Amino acid sequence: MQKTGQPTINDVARLAGVSKKTVSRVINRSPLLNGDTRKRVEDVIGEIGYIPNPQARGLALRRNFLIGLVHDNPNAQTVMNVQQGMLEALRGSEFEMVVRPLDRGSATMLQDLRHFLERQRLFGVLLMPPISENDSVAALCDSIGCRYVRMGSVALDDTDHMVASNDREAVCAATDYLIAQGHRRIGLVGGPHGFRSARERRLGFEDAMANAGIPLPRSMIADGNYTFDSGLVAAERLLDLTPRPTAIFSSNDEMAAGVIHAARQRGLDIPRDLSIIGFDDTPIAAHVWPPLTTVRWPMTSMARSAALKLIAGEDGMPAEVEEPSLFLSTLIRRASVAPPQASPAATAATPSDDPS
Amino acid sequence: MQKTGQPTINDVARLAGVSKKTVSRVINRSPLLNGDTRKRVEDVIGEIGYIPNPQARGLALRRNFLIGLVHDNPNAQTVMNVQQGMLEALRGSEFEMVVRPLDRGSATMLQDLRHFLERQRLFGVLLMPPISENDSVAALCDSIGCRYVRMGSVALDDTDHMVASNDREAVCAATDYLIAQGHRRIGLVGGPHGFRSARERRLGFEDAMANAGIPLPRSMIADGNYTFDSGLVAAERLLDLTPRPTAIFSSNDEMAAGVIHAARQRGLDIPRDLSIIGFDDTPIAAHVWPPLTTVRWPMTSMARSAALKLIAGEDGMPAEVEEPSLFLSTLIRRASVAPPQASPAATAATPSDDPS
DNA sequence: TTGTAAGCGTTATCAT
DNA sequence: ATGATAACGCTTACAA
């Protein structure tokens, strides 16, 4: 035992009457080792509670046991779910997770990231959207020799470097559901320009409307920036229309909460006067009144797979993990959707496929 | 430059025509150094983009540049705010943050933590509530020689080892506000047993009622476990009372959201028929309908101070940072509180201090 | 003010 | 199958 309290490999070697290297072999599960010696060493290790020092190990191996999580503060719940997924994958491995928020807007963002990566010499990083959508970020990781996996709402890279959800199809299906309920005048509260997710969700919405042969005037689309307030403002614009929409798809839950507020401020009843669907299935969706029908994407599983891709071949993990790259979202039906009211000017087009 | 690509201290030394040690002195800002030499070395460092290797540094210094965040998944927003505060404090320093969720319920929780700390040899940890309330956790850190700072809703330790909010007083003030509005029949949705925060908040509530001379029958208190559903159930119990409460203080926002749902399901209007106050000021508070009056505690600032305490004296930080240990919460007044309706059986006591 | 030698705890190389 | 020896990149003695 050294003064630091923690026993070192030398202590083990001395006590077991072998060389450091032998102990090292035991630690690293070298196959060419006498069963006896191994046993003896393992016993000593157990007795004195020896734990290899990751710093020394990392130095000798010229590598590092840290995995970075790089994000640009999307909503808190998403980040937490991703952290949880990563940690699940890393659990039991020798890797730890270090978190690095970045300011997407900042001019020095790329520099900051480079500094971080070069300084810490991270083993790899998990890139969360929307930063993950930035190709130069991925290129930077590559050039520095830092592994990476990107999370996105659409395939952003080859399967070894990304996990993706199918936002476009999921929104299309959600909109189909609205249409199946009898809605024709459906508004879209879109996400911010430059966000791939916003684009995919909008495309999905347009797909559904086009498939149903419903014209989609530009006025039925109002963009927000994924915040509550922007959702409220966008909804006001939409609800000012005459005739006003009977349903609104919001590109995330937080904006959907804003839509609900806007509707409520006008005395509109949800879902009687207005149906609403959100996206993300954050806790807010279930806690809002009425509970919000929304699209759930498997962020935790995606993060877990992403992390597993990162450490594939390391630390006893199978060299070629075949983790999935594409993940499916599902529509969570709650109470914010109902067939449209038979109000004047409503069923202008086809009074057909009107369920229940 | 080595094969790894990154230049090392040797490269700098060679290029600058000095010894490693001199470069080391430059890096560590040693005072006894010829200005010329320093300049020359610094130039070389800048030119080749040398960055000291934290692993090697840590090994030589027998220390580590990682700060742990240990938590037991309270709500996501709280964890995110704390992470943000920590990161603000660590920004620009050589420290990184590694996150470690723990399962408070698990029998092996203490062992898990010990393993984590011994393996990683963390420089220090920030303990979030409710794990921070566990004295054996702090004792464990101590015994391992890992610095720690605890976050809590009341002073849990000496000022070097904790940051605390004043939950009791804050809840007392919030309840006073309800009383000042004219409420007399006020219910409490309490937090789970074993949580210090739950206890403090309840005490604050009782303080206010006692100060106002309002009797507080046991039936006016229903405990939940800080979740939406438990808040809903607790509220149902309270609202079943005859006469029913005209106001409810909920020990956190998530349960308050459950209270709102319960009230709405009975056709009660908020705040006309029922006033509600929550605690935490999570995003949910502002996004619920009506916007929730709630108590905000400065978690980000607390986390920042906690992290600064942790690294006091290190990395160029002043040796004796006098970071505050006690933090004040504030009541955020929104739309969920109003004077009680003049309904039958209501103003039994004093029809006095009735504002607005 | 600067350099030399030794060491931090581990692994790779090359013997034996 | 096992062990000396030299790294890994940096810092602390201790000299000069």
Side-chain angles (χ1 to χ4, degrees):
Chain A
M1 307 261 187
Q2 306 297 89
K3 53 208 63 173
T4 136
Q6 298 257 30
T8 79
I9 198 172
N10 290 305
D11 299 314
V12 179
R14 186 163 28 78
L15 262 38
V18 298
S19 76
K20 296 160 73 160
K21 185 59 208 177
T22 301
V23 179
S24 172
R25 288 204 175 89
V26 172
I27 296 171
N28 296 289
R29 300 195 195 76
S30 163
L32 24 65
L33 248 179
N34 186 334
D36 273 0
T37 354
R38 153 165 296 134
K39 177 86 174 62
R40 186 147 34 96
V41 173
E42 278 172 345
D43 284 350
V44 174
I45 290 183
E47 270 173 47
I48 68 176
Y50 164 71
I51 304 177
N53 180 331
Q55 306 217 90
R57 232 159 103 62
L59 181 57
L61 289 166
R62 278 175 275 320
R63 54 206 276 326
N64 180 119
F65 297 102
L66 298 178
I67 305 272
L69 168 59
V70 173
H71 76 262
D72 178 18
N73 78 191
N75 90 67
Q77 189 63 47
T78 305
V79 178
M80 285 308 294
N81 288 344
V82 168
Q83 291 190 359
Q84 187 192 322
M86 285 184 69
L87 260 1
E88 282 172 15
L90 268 30
R91 162 137 320 193
S93 81
E94 52 195 342
F95 292 97
E96 293 293 332
M97 175 186 79
V98 327
V99 181
R100 188 64 170 202
L102 240 42
D103 180 6
R104 181 184 57 253
S106 157
T108 62
M109 187 266 270
L110 232 42
Q111 274 205 7
D112 291 350
L113 181 57
R114 149 167 267 129
H115 261 68
F116 173 57
L117 297 180
E118 288 186 336
R119 188 172 216 325
Q120 294 303 136
R121 294 157 166 82
L122 295 180
F123 179 79
V125 287
L126 172 33
L127 271 15
M128 275 188 70
I131 282 198
S132 59
E133 297 159 5
N134 186 334
D135 287 329
S136 26
V137 167
L140 173 62
C141 295
D142 243 355
S143 75
I144 290 186
C146 174
R147 310 193 189 192
Y148 70 86
V149 172
R150 312 205 242 172
M151 284 183 71
S153 42
V154 66
L156 291 163
D157 213 314
D158 57 281
T159 59
D160 283 349
H161 296 278
M162 64 98 181
V163 291
S165 53
N166 61 337
D167 285 24
R168 183 170 181 168
E169 293 162 44
V171 172
C172 182
T175 311
D176 281 345
Y177 171 63
L178 249 16
I179 294 171
Q181 294 286 308
H183 293 279
R184 288 298 173 273
R185 293 197 309 285
I186 309 177
L188 168 71
V189 174
H193 290 294
F195 277 55
R196 195 62 190 271
S197 60
R199 178 162 165 254
E200 294 299 316
R201 291 169 199 179
R202 174 169 176 162
L203 288 173
F205 179 77
E206 293 172 346
D207 288 349
M209 296 297 271
N211 291 345
I214 305 175
L216 180 58
R218 182 65 188 75
S219 61
M220 288 298 258
I221 298 183
D223 285 339
N225 60 10
Y226 280 163
T227 66
F228 177 88
D229 289 330
S230 73
L232 199 152
V233 170
E236 281 172 345
R237 193 130 32 101
L238 258 20
L239 295 176
D240 274 343
L241 261 30
T242 316
R244 70 171 143 66
T246 62
I248 289 181
F249 171 79
S250 167
S251 295
N252 78 353
D253 286 347
E254 198 169 329
M255 292 195 299
V259 175
I260 291 178
H261 271 227
R264 182 116 46 206
Q265 282 172 340
R266 303 179 173 229
L268 263 31
D269 182 84
I270 300 168
R272 197 196 57 196
D273 305 319
L274 182 71
S275 288
I276 305 180
I277 294 186
F279 198 105
D280 282 345
D281 194 30
T282 55
I284 210 175
H287 297 169
V288 108
W289 187 273
L292 185 69
T293 292
T294 187
V295 178
R296 172 190 296 166
W297 56 287
M299 26 190 150
T300 307
S301 307
M302 287 172 65
R304 191 189 313 113
S305 288
L308 287 175
K309 283 179 190 232
L310 240 19
I311 64 175
E314 301 296 317
D315 193 52
M317 307 300 301
E320 282 312 320
V321 207
E322 264 328 320
E323 283 299 318
S325 299
L326 267 10
F327 292 75
L328 301 185
S329 308
T330 49
L331 184 68
I332 307 296
R333 302 186 188 193
R334 288 200 266 252
S336 64
V337 173
Q341 280 295 97
S343 72
T347 0
T350 48
S352 51
D353 58 71
D354 200 271
S356 181
Chain B
M1 306 262 187
Q2 308 295 90
K3 54 207 66 171
T4 137
Q6 298 256 30
T8 78
I9 199 174
N10 290 305
D11 299 313
V12 179
R14 184 163 29 78
L15 262 38
V18 297
S19 75
K20 293 161 73 162
K21 183 58 212 177
T22 302
V23 180
S24 172
R25 290 204 174 88
V26 173
I27 296 171
N28 296 289
R29 300 196 196 75
S30 162
L32 23 66
L33 248 179
N34 186 335
D36 274 359
T37 343
R38 154 165 295 134
K39 177 86 175 62
R40 186 148 34 98
V41 172
E42 278 172 347
D43 285 348
V44 174
I45 290 182
E47 270 174 47
I48 68 176
Y50 164 71
I51 304 177
N53 180 330
Q55 305 218 91
R57 231 159 104 61
L59 181 58
L61 289 166
R62 283 178 239 22
R63 54 208 275 327
N64 181 119
F65 298 102
L66 299 178
I67 305 271
L69 168 59
V70 173
H71 76 263
D72 177 20
N73 80 189
N75 89 68
Q77 189 63 48
T78 305
V79 178
M80 284 309 294
N81 287 344
V82 168
Q83 291 190 359
Q84 186 194 321
M86 285 185 69
L87 259 2
E88 281 172 16
L90 267 30
R91 163 136 319 191
S93 81
E94 51 197 342
F95 292 99
E96 292 294 333
M97 175 186 80
V98 325
V99 181
R100 188 66 169 201
L102 240 44
D103 180 6
R104 180 184 58 255
S106 157
T108 61
M109 187 267 273
L110 232 41
Q111 273 205 8
D112 290 349
L113 181 57
R114 150 166 263 129
H115 259 68
F116 174 56
L117 296 181
E118 287 187 335
R119 188 172 213 326
Q120 294 303 136
R121 295 155 164 82
L122 262 42
F123 177 81
V125 287
L126 171 33
L127 271 15
M128 274 188 72
I131 282 196
S132 59
E133 297 160 6
N134 186 334
D135 287 330
S136 26
V137 168
L140 173 62
C141 295
D142 243 355
S143 74
I144 290 186
C146 174
R147 311 192 188 191
Y148 70 86
V149 172
R150 313 205 241 172
M151 284 183 73
S153 42
V154 66
L156 292 163
D157 212 313
D158 58 280
T159 58
D160 284 349
H161 296 277
M162 65 95 180
V163 291
S165 53
N166 62 337
D167 285 24
R168 182 169 181 170
E169 293 163 43
V171 172
C172 182
T175 311
D176 281 345
Y177 171 63
L178 249 17
I179 295 171
Q181 294 286 306
H183 292 279
R184 289 296 173 276
R185 293 197 308 284
I186 309 176
L188 169 71
V189 175
H193 290 294
F195 276 54
R196 196 62 190 272
S197 61
R199 177 160 165 257
E200 294 299 315
R201 291 168 198 179
R202 173 170 176 162
L203 287 173
F205 180 77
E206 293 172 346
D207 288 348
M209 297 296 271
N211 291 345
I214 305 175
L216 179 57
R218 182 66 187 76
S219 60
M220 288 297 260
I221 299 182
D223 285 340
N225 59 11
Y226 280 162
T227 65
F228 177 89
D229 288 331
S230 73
L232 199 152
V233 170
E236 280 170 346
R237 194 131 32 101
L238 258 21
L239 295 177
D240 274 342
L241 261 29
T242 316
R244 69 172 142 68
T246 62
I248 289 181
F249 172 79
S250 167
S251 295
N252 77 353
D253 286 347
E254 197 169 330
M255 292 195 297
V259 174
I260 291 178
H261 271 227
R264 182 116 46 206
Q265 282 172 342
R266 300 176 177 232
L268 263 31
D269 182 84
I270 300 168
R272 197 195 57 198
D273 305 319
L274 181 71
S275 288
I276 305 180
I277 294 186
F279 198 105
D280 282 343
D281 193 30
T282 56
I284 210 176
H287 297 169
V288 106
W289 188 272
L292 185 68
T293 292
T294 187
V295 178
R296 172 190 296 166
W297 56 287
M299 28 190 147
T300 306
S301 306
M302 287 172 66
R304 191 188 314 113
S305 288
L308 287 175
K309 283 179 192 235
L310 241 18
I311 64 175
E314 302 296 318
D315 194 54
M317 306 301 300
E320 283 310 320
V321 208
E322 264 327 321
E323 282 300 318
S325 298
L326 266 12
F327 292 76
L328 301 185
S329 307
T330 50
L331 185 67
I332 307 296
R333 302 184 188 192
R334 286 198 267 252
S336 64
V337 173
Q341 278 296 95
S343 71
T347 0
T350 49
S352 51
D353 58 68
D354 202 89
S356 174

